[in-house]
Amino acid sequence: MRLCAWYLYGEKHRGYALNPVANFHLQNGSVMWRINWMADTSPRGIAASCGMMVNYRYFLEDTDSNSATYLGTKQIKASEQVLSLVSQFQQNSKL
């Protein structure tokens, strides 16, 4: 879960989220909301993402500013759950 959070939040290509689905939702103003363990147990889900799935949440009153922030400063809006997992990864990682 921590590695998944880091991949989605911290791994970048030219400053933007490396994952194309994450990049799509973030460009459209979403918040990286929750990472779900074993949410997709299909063979494809296991092979593609170890069964993990991410929820992106759209707060309609914030989508324009979230999108502008992401596109302008490349800062990802994320929930406390995701940020906590990122922090745990950073504390335990040798990267």
Side-chain angles (χ1 to χ4, degrees):
M1 295 278 288
R2 294 183 301 248
L3 180 60
C4 178
W6 176 254
Y7 167 69
L8 294 169
Y9 183 86
E11 291 298 320
K12 306 283 179 92
H13 176 70
R14 296 187 176 147
Y16 297 106
L18 182 63
N19 181 276
V21 174
N23 193 49
F24 170 82
H25 286 289
L26 295 166
Q27 283 183 16
N28 287 300
S30 73
V31 175
M32 193 176 294
W33 192 250
R34 184 174 57 213
I35 298 174
N36 304 293
W37 176 253
M38 298 306 284
D40 184 357
T41 57
S42 69
R44 183 172 183 239
I46 296 295
S49 63
C50 298
M52 288 183 258
M53 291 182 76
V54 181
N55 294 114
Y56 294 93
R57 189 164 180 188
Y58 288 85
F59 295 97
L60 296 181
E61 65 276 5
D62 298 330
T63 55
D64 288 340
S65 64
N66 289 350
S67 177
T69 298
Y70 180 66
L71 294 171
T73 66
K74 301 171 181 153
Q75 180 182 2
I76 294 174
K77 295 283 279 186
S79 70
E80 287 300 317
Q81 189 247 17
V82 173
L83 293 176
S84 175
L85 289 168
V86 168
S87 177
Q88 291 171 38
F89 173 82
Q90 290 173 319
Q91 290 171 1
N92 296 308
S93 174
K94 297 186 191 296
L95 292 179

